[in-house]
Amino acid sequence: MKRSRIVMFIGMIFVLLGVILLSVTSELKKSEASIVSDVRIKQNNPTDLIVTHTYIPVPIEVVELTATTVAGTPTIIPSITPPMIPTPTMSAQASLNARYEVQWSQSNYYQHLFALGDINGDMLSDMGTFDDTGLVHVWFGNANGISPNPSQTAYFRADQGGVIPLCDVNNDHYDDVIITEDKGEGWFVPGSAEGLQFTQRQSIIFGGWSPRAQIANKCFGDVTGDGIDDAVVLTNTQLQVFRGGTDFPSIVSSSSTMCTAKLFVQGICNIGVAGDVNGDNVNDVAVMRTIENERVIELYSGTATQMFDMPPLSVIHGIAEYKNSEFASSFSSVGDINRDGFDDIGVAQYWNGVMVYFGGPNGYTAKPNWIATGFDAGIVASAGDINDDGYDDLYVGSPWQATARIFLSTGATLADTPVWQETNDGHFGWPGGDAGDIDGNGKNDIFVGAHYTNGTEKVFLFR
């Protein structure tokens, strides 16, 4: 009997423990539910935890987590401050008006001015010139801008030659160039700690006449998707992609005969740096040519295969109110004006100003997203981010009016009026654009070329 009572007593203890455990579990579930009920969607709270975030000036969805008491013990869930979204600054940096001027020639030979990137690996941008006699000058960047005297000089045979700035196509951490000569020949000249290695140049035979330099003197970057910069050149018979690598320039990964010799000579077939227009992390190529008497800009998506055998990703047609002969006198990537992750293109119109088309997953928009008129536009190019607000700005050179202009990004588009404008004499304004950081102050510099009727050539550096 005693044994039976003991067993019964132990059973009652277990039942009581089960009831207590059930009660505790229920309370815990209620507490968990109270935490979940405090999670809610809010907008524009600077102390909230970001769920999704893109660097464009629109409201951001966030989740707010608040402090909650569980079983009498305060459990604090800290809030997280999101990164600041850049706000467009509608003023240019004051130092942009600090002008540095160099005269590099006083002859009857026309000079061509180029931004070369960093050819000597000192983290400063460099400049170069090439005249019709084949004389090449190189200026290294320094704390004072550029020196009055060139850092390097060399001669090449060049009735129809020029300089094509490259990025780092041989993957040695120095930017390189191609120097073209007449009769379809040229040289690959690698960069080094001492500058361009003219004595280490390698011969290149192009299919046709010598390629012309890119309009906005920028390199194409990686258009084949292997992580190494490539070269894209246009001759009178072929459009070619030289794949980057340690064996550059021996491999041609793509070529096309889309441009005829007649169009090449007339200047109505050309190529332009496009950047990454469709956001696939591979740079693209823009081609301007004439199809059935209409000038168009075709965008070809970068790929390791024969990119020019594929249909263009998008096509920009001339606008009816503009003369077809004036469409795309200059065109180039202008960076990401609206910071949506897709590079945009600027298109100059000779006497009719300039237009900008935004990029996107399907290429360029069908119609321009921004138009400025009332001035000639010999060249359009990126100005880089001149006012450090996180948005790329636009450079327009008007050599027939001897004027250079910069339009600032507003975040969604570009301002209607230039934030900076300077008029000089000669053919001031062409070429020009983003020179990179020449003086090492951490800010973009703007270079502007000028050609005078007495043969004087100058470059103006605005810092």
Side-chain angles (χ1 to χ4, degrees):
M1 191 61 126
K2 276 186 182 181
R3 192 174 197 176
S4 174
R5 290 178 180 176
I6 292 172
V7 171
M8 186 180 298
F9 180 72
I10 293 173
M12 291 176 63
I13 291 175
F14 276 109
V15 170
L16 181 60
L17 289 174
V19 171
I20 294 173
L21 181 61
L22 183 62
S23 175
V24 170
T25 302
S26 176
E27 290 300 319
L28 287 173
K29 288 183 177 180
K30 289 179 181 179
S31 298
E32 290 174 358
S34 69
I35 294 177
V36 174
S37 67
D38 282 335
V39 178
R40 53 190 180 275
I41 302 296
K42 299 191 69 177
Q43 289 185 334
N44 293 334
N45 188 333
T47 60
D48 292 336
L49 176 67
I50 288 182
V51 172
T52 59
H53 179 72
T54 54
Y55 286 96
I56 52 177
V58 296
I60 299 170
E61 288 190 339
V62 297
V63 172
E64 180 183 63
L65 300 179
T66 60
T68 306
T69 299
V70 179
T73 303
T75 302
I76 305 300
I77 304 175
S79 57
I80 299 176
T81 302
M84 294 296 293
I85 303 174
T87 300
T89 303
M90 297 309 296
S91 63
Q93 62 190 45
S95 62
L96 186 62
N97 293 318
R99 186 174 72 183
Y100 189 77
E101 178 181 329
V102 171
Q103 176 178 315
W104 74 81
S105 173
Q106 190 164 5
S107 67
N108 294 321
Y109 298 105
Y110 193 79
Q111 304 278 333
H112 306 271
L113 177 66
F114 301 92
L116 297 180
D118 181 13
I119 60 174
N120 61 343
D122 62 356
M123 307 301 291
L124 302 176
S125 298
D126 308 310
M127 301 292 298
T129 62
F130 187 95
D131 73 11
D132 293 339
T133 68
L135 178 63
V136 177
H137 287 319
V138 176
W139 280 268
F140 296 155
N142 62 59
N144 295 318
I146 51 179
S147 301
N149 298 315
S151 308
Q152 292 183 287
T153 300
Y155 282 93
F156 289 81
R157 183 181 73 249
D159 293 334
Q160 297 291 330
V163 175
I164 300 177
L166 306 176
C167 297
D168 178 18
V169 294
N170 59 353
N171 206 28
D172 65 353
H173 309 296
Y174 300 98
D175 288 338
D176 313 304
V177 303
I178 287 177
I179 297 178
T180 66
E181 297 186 334
D182 53 1
K183 300 178 181 177
E185 300 175 353
W187 302 93
F188 166 62
V189 185
S192 72
E194 291 75 35
L196 290 178
Q197 295 292 294
F198 294 110
T199 60
Q200 303 296 320
R201 63 185 185 269
Q202 302 175 45
S203 176
I204 303 177
I205 304 299
F206 302 103
W209 298 343
S210 296
R212 63 162 53 99
Q214 278 73 260
I215 293 177
N217 337 277
K218 291 291 184 181
C219 56
F220 281 87
D222 176 22
V223 300
T224 57
D226 60 0
I228 303 175
D229 298 325
D230 307 302
V232 184
V233 299
L234 173 67
T235 72
N236 67 316
T237 61
Q238 293 191 55
L239 176 57
Q240 298 173 309
V241 176
F242 289 85
R243 184 188 296 271
T246 55
D247 53 355
F248 185 91
S250 62
I251 299 177
V252 179
S253 63
S254 181
S255 64
S256 171
T257 57
M258 66 174 64
C259 290
T260 66
K262 181 179 179 180
L263 296 179
F264 179 86
V265 171
Q266 292 175 344
I268 50 178
C269 185
N270 218 326
I271 55 176
V273 174
D276 182 11
V277 179
N278 58 346
D280 63 353
N281 298 318
V282 181
N283 285 0
D284 310 307
V285 177
V287 179
M288 183 272 286
R289 61 185 181 130
T290 299
I291 301 178
E292 296 180 353
N293 297 320
E294 179 193 19
R295 285 193 187 185
V296 299
I297 296 177
E298 298 175 325
L299 178 68
Y300 290 88
S301 181
T303 174
T305 57
Q306 301 291 319
M307 72 169 68
F308 302 119
D309 290 343
M310 305 293 291
L313 186 63
S314 63
V315 180
I316 296 176
H317 296 269
I319 300 178
E321 57 263 34
Y322 291 103
K323 294 180 181 178
N324 185 54
S325 61
E326 297 179 356
F327 178 71
S329 58
S330 168
F331 62 100
S332 177
S333 169
V334 292
D336 186 3
I337 296 293
N338 57 347
R339 201 168 178 175
D340 62 354
F342 306 98
D343 284 340
D344 312 314
I345 192 171
V347 181
Q349 288 283 126
Y350 274 128
W351 313 112
N352 286 311
V354 65
M355 303 175 290
V356 171
Y357 296 77
F358 290 162
N362 298 317
Y364 297 124
T365 53
K367 296 182 178 180
N369 301 93
W370 179 84
I371 299 177
T373 59
F375 54 87
D376 72 63
I379 186 170
V380 58
S382 174
D385 178 14
I386 66 165
N387 56 343
D388 294 329
D389 66 351
Y391 293 81
D392 289 327
D393 307 306
L394 183 74
Y395 172 87
V396 181
S398 304
W400 299 284
Q401 297 173 338
T403 301
R405 299 174 175 86
I406 291 179
F407 295 85
L408 290 182
S409 170
T410 65
T413 183
L414 287 159
D416 293 331
T417 57
V419 70
W420 174 86
Q421 177 174 317
E422 177 154 330
T423 299
N424 205 290
D425 52 3
H427 286 165
F428 178 80
W430 186 91
D434 177 15
D437 183 10
I438 288 182
D439 55 3
N441 67 349
K443 298 181 182 296
N444 278 41
D445 303 314
I446 299 297
F447 78 97
V448 182
H451 175 74
Y452 298 85
T453 55
N454 66 356
T456 300
E457 304 281 351
K458 292 183 179 181
V459 57
F460 299 83
L461 181 66
F462 297 88
R463 305 161 61 194

